[in-house]
C-alpha cells in the first residue's frame, strides 16, 4: 500500500514525529482524565459530596472505579470541608485546568504534524521534479505535459488532503480511544464490553462501502489530468485556435472531459459522504443501547451510581468523535491511494542517467564521429535505414532533405535523446552507448529552430546555471553571437528579463541568445537544427554570421532549410525516406544533377522574384 511509502517519508523527520506522538499521548490522557474529574462535581450536584476524610487505599476498595471515585472525593473533602460551593469551585477549577492542558497538547501535536506534513509535500514535489528533469525525451514524446503537471499539483494536493492530513488522526485518535476506553473500563467493565461489541460491526460496514473508492478515485485523477492537458494545449496554441476559428471545437472537447470529471467526482464524493452519516448513526445506535443497558444498571441492578453513569456517557460520546474521524480516515486512505499511485509512478521511473557507470568516460573530442549501420524507429516503421557516414574533427557536415526524411531524428541520436534500435554511433572509436551520458552531452551544444528561452534574465539564459563563467566570457560569447549590441541597448543589460519563452525579444534576438548559450558552453561539437529557417531574410543573414562565428574551431552538424546557407559545408548528406541517397560537396552534388540538384533548383525558383 502506498500509505506505507508516505509513512516512511513521515518517519524521516524523527524529532518532529516523536514530539507529535508525545503531545498526542498527553492530549489523549488529559481528554480521559478531564471527563473523570467531572464525577465529584456531579456527586455534589446530585447528592451532595460524599465526605471522605481518610485517604482511601486501593487494597480496601471494591474496584478500581470505586477507588478512583473515593480518591477524588477525598481530595474534594480535604479542600472544601463542608462547603459545597467551595467544592464545586474546586472541581470546576480542576476541570478547566485539565481541558486547558488537553488543548495545549492538541495545539503542539498539530504544530509538529503540520511541519511534518508540509516537509513531506515539499520532498514529494522535489522528487517528482527531479525525476521529470532526468526522464528520457522519449517519455515526453509519448505523454502529455498536462498530465505531468497534474501529478505534481492536484495529485500531490490530494495526497496532502488524504494521506498526510490523517497522520495526526491515526496517531492521536487511537490513543484517545485507548485512554478513554481505559477510563470507561474503570467505571464499568460490563458497559464497556457492550460498546466494544459494536465497534468491529461498524468497521466491517464502513470497510464494505469503501472498497470501490480507490478505483473511482483513480478515474477522477486521470480525468483531472486530462482537463489540465487540454487547458495547457489551449494556452500554447491559442493563436492557431483563433486563426482557424476553432474555439467551439476546443470548448466542446473541454466540456466533454469536464462533464466526465463531474460525473465521476459526484459518484466518488457521494460514496465518501456516506462515511459521516453512517458513522453518526452507528454511534447514536451505540449510545441508545448504552442508555438502555446503563439505565438498567443504575435504576434496577443498582451497580452504577448516577454520577458515574453520566460521566461514562460523556466518555462514550468522547469515543465516538475519534472513531468517526478514523472511519473518515479509512475513506481518505482509499481515495488517496489512487493519487499516490500516480505520484509514485513518476518517482519510480528510471532516470536516463541511472545507467551511468559506463566502461569509458570521454573528456574531449579528438578525431571523428562515425555512424555505423544506424536504423531507428519510433513505433512500427523505421524512419532511418542503414545510415553510414563519418564526420572528422573540425568539419562542417550538412544534412538536407524533404520534411519527414529523418534529419532531426538523425542528429537527436548523437546526444542520445533517443536510444538506437540497431547499429551504432562512435565517438573516437567508442560507442556512445558505452560512454557516460553526462560526459557525452558535455561534448555537444545545440541551437534549434525554435529558440527555447526561460522566464529569466539574459545572463541566466546564456549561463543556464553555469555560474563558473566570469563576466568577461559572458560578454565574449554574446559578441561572437552578435548579441552584444542589442543587449547593451537595455537599461538592465544582461539582467534584462526576456519574459515567458523570450516574449520580450524578437525572433532574431532570441536566436542570438541561444547561440551565445552554445558558445559559452565551449563544447567541441555543435548541432544546428534548422537554426535560421524561422527567420526573415535580413535577420537570417545576421544570424548566419553569428553561427559562422560560433562554428569556428568546432565540429558542426547542421540541418539546413535554405540550401544557400550550407554551400560552404565540407560535405552535404542528402536524406530521402530515412536513407542516404547522396553525399558530397555542394559543387559535386550539383554536377550529379540528382536529388540535391532538384532541391536546389526548386528553392531557386521559389526565391526568384515574379516578373
Amino acid at each position: 500500500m502506498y500509505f506505507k511509502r508516505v509513512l516512511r517519508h513521515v518517519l524521516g523527520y524523527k524529532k518532529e514525529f516523536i514530539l507529535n506522538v508525545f503531545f498526542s499521548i498527553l492530549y489523549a490522557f488529559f481528554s480521559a482524565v478531564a471527563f473523570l474529574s467531572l464525577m465529584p462535581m456531579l456527586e455534589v450536584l446530585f447528592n451532595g459530596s460524599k465526605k471522605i476524610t481518610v485517604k482511601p487505599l486501593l487494597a480496601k476498595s471494591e474496584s478500581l472505579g470505586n477507588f478512583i471515585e473515593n480518591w477524588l472525593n477525598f481530595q474534594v473533602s480535604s479542600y472544601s470541608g463542608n462547603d459545597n460551593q467551595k467544592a464545586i469551585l474546586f472541581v470546576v477549577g480542576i476541570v478547566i485546568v485539565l481541558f486547558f492542558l488537553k488543548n495545549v497538547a492538541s495545539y503542539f501535536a498539530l504544530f509538529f504534524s503540520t511541519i511534518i506534513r508540509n516537509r513531506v509535500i515539499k520532498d514529494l514535489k522535489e522528487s517528482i521534479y527531479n525525476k521529470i528533469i532526468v526522464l528520457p525525451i522519449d517519455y515526453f514524446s509519448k505523454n502529455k505535459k498536462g498530465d505531468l503537471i497534474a501529478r505534481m499539483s492536484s495529485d500531490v494536493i490530494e495526497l496532502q488532503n488524504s494521506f498526510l492530513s490523517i497522520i495526526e488522526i491515526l496517531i492521536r485518535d487511537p490513543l484517545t480511544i485507548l485512554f478513554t476506553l481505559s477510563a470507561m473500563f474503570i467505571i464499568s467493565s460490563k458497559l464497556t464490553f457492550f460498546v466494544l461489541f459494536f465497534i468491529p460491526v461498524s468497521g466491517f460496514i464502513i470497510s464494505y462501502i469503501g472498497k470501490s473508492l480507490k478505483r473511482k478515485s483513480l478515474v477522477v485523477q486521470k480525468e483531472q489530468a486530462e482537463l489540465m492537458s487540454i487547458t495547457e494545449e489551449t494556452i500554447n496554441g491559442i493563436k492557431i485556435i483563433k486563426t482557424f476559428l476553432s474555439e467551439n471545437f476546443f470548448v466542446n472537447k473541454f466540456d466533454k472531459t469536464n462533464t466526465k470529471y463531474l460525473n465521476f467526482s459526484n459518484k466518488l464524493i457521494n460514496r465518501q459522504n456516506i462515511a459521516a452519516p453512517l458513522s453518526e448513526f452507528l454511534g447514536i445506535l451505540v449510545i441508545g443501547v448504552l442508555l438502555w443497558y446503563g439505565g438498567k444498571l443504575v435504576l434496577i441492578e443498582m451497580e452504577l451510581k448516577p454520577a458515574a453513569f453520566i460521566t461514562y456517557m460523556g466518555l462514550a460520546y468522547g469515543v465516538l468523535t475519534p472513531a468517526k474521524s478514523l472511519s473518515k480516515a479509512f475513506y481518505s486512505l482509499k481515495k488517496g491511494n489512487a493519487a499516490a499511485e500516480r505520484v509514485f509512478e513518476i518517482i519510480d521511473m528510471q532516470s536516463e542517467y541511472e545507467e551511468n557507470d559506463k566502461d569509458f568516460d570521454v573528456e574531449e573530442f579528438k578525431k571523428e564521429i562515425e555512424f555505423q549501420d544506424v536504423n531507428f524507429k519510433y513505433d512500427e516503421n523505421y524512419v532511418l535505414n542503414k545510415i553510414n557516414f563519418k564526420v572528422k574533427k573540425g568539419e562542417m557536415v550538412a544534412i538536407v532533405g524533404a520534411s519527414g526524411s529523418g534529419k532531426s531524428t538523425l542528429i537527436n541520436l548523437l546526444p542520445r535523446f533517443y536510444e538506437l534500435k540497431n547499429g551504432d554511433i562512435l565517438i573516437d572509436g567508442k560507442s556512445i552507448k558505452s560512454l557516460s551520458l553526462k560526459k557525452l552531452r558535455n561534448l555537444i551544444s545545440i541551437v534549434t529552430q525554435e529558440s527555447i528561452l526561460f522566464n529569466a534574465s539574459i545572463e541566466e539564459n546564456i549561463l543556464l546555471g553555469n555560474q563558473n563563467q566570469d563576466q568577461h566570457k559572458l560578454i565574449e560569447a554574446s559578441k561572437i553571437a552578435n548579441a552584444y549590441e542589442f543587449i547593451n541597448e537595455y537599461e538592465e543589460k544582461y539582467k534584462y528579463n526576456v519574459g515567458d519563452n523570450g516574449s520580450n525579444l524578437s525572433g532574431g534576438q532570441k536566436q542570438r541568445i541561444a547561440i551565445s548559450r552554445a558558445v559559452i558552453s565551449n563544447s567541441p561539437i555543435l548541432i544546428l537544427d534548422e537554426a535560421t529557417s524561422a527567420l526573415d531574410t535580413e535577420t537570417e543573414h545576421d544570424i548566419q554570421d553569428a553561427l559562422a562565428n560560433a562554428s569556428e574551431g568546432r565540429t558542426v552538424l547542421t540541418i539546413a532549410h535554405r540550401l544557400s546557407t550550407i554551400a560552404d559545408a565540407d560535405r552535404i548528406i542528402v536524406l530521402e525516406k530515412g536513407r542516404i541517397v547522396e553525399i558530397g560537396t555542394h559543387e559535386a552534388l550539383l554536377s550529379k544533377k540528382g536529388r540535391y540538384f532538384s532541391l536546389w533548383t526548386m528553392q531557386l525558383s521559389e526565391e526568384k522574384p515574379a516578373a
Side-chain angles (χ1 to χ4, degrees), residues 165-229:
S165 64
I166 65 171
I167 293 291
E168 173 65 22
I169 293 173
L170 293 178
I171 295 171
R172 182 193 63 200
D173 288 0
L175 289 170
T176 303
I177 292 173
L178 178 65
F179 278 101
T180 306
L181 284 174
S182 300
M184 290 164 68
F185 267 112
I186 289 171
I187 296 173
S188 174
S189 58
K190 282 185 179 181
L191 274 175
T192 307
F193 280 121
F194 212 73
V195 171
L196 291 177
F197 171 77
F198 285 93
I199 291 177
V201 176
S202 303
F204 174 78
I205 294 171
I206 291 169
S207 174
Y208 179 77
I209 294 173
K211 281 184 178 179
S212 65
L213 275 178
K214 179 189 172 184
R215 178 173 50 82
K216 292 182 184 295
S217 294
L218 191 57
V219 174
V220 168
Q221 297 301 122
K222 287 181 177 178
E223 289 301 324
Q224 188 166 357
E226 183 66 20
L227 279 178
M228 295 192 74
S229 294

Side-chain angles (χ1 to χ4, degrees), residues 184-305:
M184 290 164 68
F185 267 112
I186 289 171
I187 296 173
S188 174
S189 58
K190 282 185 179 181
L191 274 175
T192 307
F193 280 121
F194 212 73
V195 171
L196 291 177
F197 171 77
F198 285 93
I199 291 177
V201 176
S202 303
F204 174 78
I205 294 171
I206 291 169
S207 174
Y208 179 77
I209 294 173
K211 281 184 178 179
S212 65
L213 275 178
K214 179 189 172 184
R215 178 173 50 82
K216 292 182 184 295
S217 294
L218 191 57
V219 174
V220 168
Q221 297 301 122
K222 287 181 177 178
E223 289 301 324
Q224 188 166 357
E226 183 66 20
L227 279 178
M228 295 192 74
S229 294
I230 295 171
T231 304
E232 188 257 342
E233 287 177 347
T234 302
I235 293 170
N236 287 342
I238 193 68
K239 286 184 180 178
I240 300 298
I241 292 170
K242 290 182 177 297
T243 300
F244 290 94
L245 301 176
S246 301
E247 289 91 345
N248 287 338
F249 172 78
F250 282 91
V251 166
N252 292 334
K253 184 179 179 181
F254 184 88
D255 184 61
K256 184 179 178 181
T257 302
N258 203 21
T259 301
K260 286 171 69 178
Y261 174 72
L262 171 68
N263 293 334
F264 286 128
S265 294
N266 285 341
K267 290 178 182 178
L268 174 67
I269 295 170
N270 286 333
R271 180 63 65 94
Q272 191 177 5
N273 286 342
I274 295 175
L278 181 63
S279 299
E280 185 167 337
F281 172 75
L282 292 171
I284 292 300
L285 186 62
V286 172
I287 293 293
V289 173
L290 279 177
L291 285 171
W292 167 76
Y293 187 63
K296 184 181 173 185
L297 291 177
V298 172
L299 300 174
I300 300 174
E301 298 181 14
M302 302 294 184
E303 290 186 19
L304 204 59
K305 293 180 180 178

Side-chain angles (χ1 to χ4, degrees), residues 458 485-494 496 504-506 509:
I458 291 175
E485 289 185 9
F486 87 79
I487 291 174
N488 278 277
E489 289 175 3
Y490 298 116
E491 185 179 344
E492 302 93 332
K493 295 186 173 16
Y494 288 88
Y496 179 75
N504 294 337
L505 303 178
S506 69
Q509 290 172 331

Side-chain angles (χ1 to χ4, degrees), residues 547-598:
L547 288 173
N549 296 336
S551 301
E552 200 168 310
R554 288 179 168 83
T555 304
V556 180
L557 277 167
T558 179
I559 294 175
H561 175 72
R562 292 189 177 93
L563 301 183
S564 57
T565 62
I566 47 96
D568 295 331
D570 295 291
R571 265 170 304 133
I572 298 169
I573 296 172
V574 184
L575 285 181
E576 187 168 359
K577 296 182 179 179
R579 295 181 181 274
I580 295 178
V581 291
E582 291 178 328
I583 297 182
T585 62
H586 174 69
E587 291 80 8
L589 291 176
L590 285 179
S591 65
K592 280 186 177 181
K593 296 189 182 298
R595 181 59 180 155
Y596 182 78
F597 179 80
S598 300

Side-chain angles (χ1 to χ4, degrees), residues 38-50 69 84 88 298 305-312:
L38 290 172
M39 275 201 296
M41 187 179 74
L42 293 171
E43 286 285 351
V44 171
L45 290 175
F46 286 123
N47 306 315
S49 182
K50 180 182 176 182
E69 181 185 355
N84 283 338
I88 291 173
V298 172
K305 293 180 180 178
F309 177 60
I310 293 173
T311 303
Y312 186 91

